[in-house]
Amino acid sequence: MVELGVMFGVMIALAVFLIVKLLRRGNRATENADGLLIEQDRRLRAHHDRASYNAMSMDGTSPTQSDGYRRP
């Protein structure tokens, strides 16, 4: 029974530590803009990929109008 209490105590302490750590991280100012520039580049690439590889650009039709989605 003691082992169970110790296990839950350690898990609760770890959860509290992680919550405090994550909450404190959001309050810090960034020292450089490298992370922000990387995030902006990834966001723009994702937007470009969504526009480039949608159903209209690949097949010229929407998925519900193609032959593969029609019932015979």
Side-chain angles (χ1 to χ4, degrees):
M1 190 67 172
V2 173
E3 294 88 5
L4 193 59
V6 170
M7 182 183 73
F8 282 125
V10 168
M11 288 174 52
I12 290 172
L14 181 63
V16 169
F17 172 74
L18 290 174
I19 289 170
V20 169
K21 181 78 169 171
L22 290 174
L23 288 176
R24 288 184 63 208
R25 255 177 94 186
N27 295 335
R28 275 191 276 162
T30 56
E31 294 178 11
N32 56 26
D34 290 339
L36 296 174
L37 291 174
I38 291 170
E39 183 66 28
Q40 182 183 16
D41 182 53
R42 301 252 170 113
R43 185 180 49 82
L44 290 173
R45 284 185 190 190
H47 173 71
H48 176 71
D49 289 344
R50 282 192 299 271
S52 297
Y53 300 114
N54 64 17
M56 292 295 287
S57 65
M58 297 304 283
D59 296 330
T61 61
S62 63
T64 56
Q65 294 175 350
S66 66
D67 293 334
Y69 289 90
R70 290 185 187 166
R71 292 185 180 227

